Amino acid sequence: MSEDCLFCKIAAGEIPADKVYEDDQTLAFRDINPQAPVHCLVIPKKHLDAPAAVTAGDEALAGHLIRVAGEVARQEGIDDYRLVFNNGAGAGQTVFHIHLHVLGGRAMQWPPG
Ligand code: AMP
Ligand code: ZN
């Protein structure tokens, strides 16, 4: 738990979220400002600032986030989806607790803006 971290507070149940999946290591919930019909965030319960903070010891956890994202997509009934990690403010990161966006339910454009 990192002090004043929004997603740590969500993981701890101190701030409500629209949860779609939970296990011992991760939580997934709907994005409060969805950019697609399906827009969920998968977070580890462990605080990591960003993808750049992932170390060798976190590799299993990082892989688990991807597996959970696939599970969330199945639950939401979508086969085609985009998974996004933003790393750093210049890349659009606004919450500095690592999270994997699961976006789908509409055609996705490439390249992203
Ligand atoms: P990023 O810009 O990659 O850091 O993504 C942060 C995401 O968190 C944004 O898409 C926000 O809409 C979302 N977000 C911020 N606060 C909340 C919240 N309380 N519950 C759910 N999603 C949130
Ligand atoms: Zn945190």
Side-chain angles (χ1 to χ4, degrees), residues 1-9 11 43-49 95-98:
M1 175 96 184
S2 177
E3 292 298 317
D4 295 326
C5 171
L6 175 63
F7 287 177
C8 279
K9 287 180 179 167
I43 67 168
K45 291 182 175 177
K46 171 185 175 178
H47 180 89
L48 292 166
D49 286 344
V95 177
F96 289 84
H97 177 127
I98 190 171

Side-chain angles (χ1 to χ4, degrees), residues 6-7 10 15-18 29-35 39 41 84-86 91-97 99 101:
L6 175 63
F7 287 177
I10 287 177
I15 290 177
D18 187 356
F29 51 91
R30 294 190 196 285
D31 196 293
I32 206 167
N33 182 25
Q35 302 302 311
H39 187 176
L41 303 173
V84 175
F85 285 110
N86 292 323
Q93 187 177 5
T94 59
V95 177
F96 289 84
H97 177 127
H99 50 279
H101 294 259

Side-chain angles (χ1 to χ4, degrees), residues 8-113:
C8 279
K9 287 180 179 167
I10 287 177
E14 293 172 12
I15 290 177
D18 187 356
K19 293 181 190 177
V20 295
Y21 177 92
E22 183 167 14
D23 63 28
D24 58 332
Q25 298 181 84
T26 64
L27 182 66
F29 51 91
R30 294 190 196 285
D31 196 293
I32 206 167
N33 182 25
Q35 302 302 311
V38 174
H39 187 176
C40 296
L41 303 173
V42 184
I43 67 168
K45 291 182 175 177
K46 171 185 175 178
H47 180 89
L48 292 166
D49 286 344
V54 171
T55 63
D58 300 312
E59 282 183 6
L61 180 59
H64 188 60
L65 294 179
I66 295 173
R67 186 167 78 72
V68 169
E71 181 57 32
V72 167
R74 269 188 294 281
Q75 271 180 215
E76 295 293 314
I78 54 171
D79 292 325
D80 300 339
Y81 50 90
R82 181 167 293 164
L83 302 183
V84 175
F85 285 110
N86 292 323
N87 189 87
Q93 187 177 5
T94 59
V95 177
F96 289 84
H97 177 127
I98 190 171
H99 50 279
L100 181 54
H101 294 259
V102 183
L103 294 144
R106 64 167 169 82
M108 308 303 289
Q109 309 301 314
W110 191 263

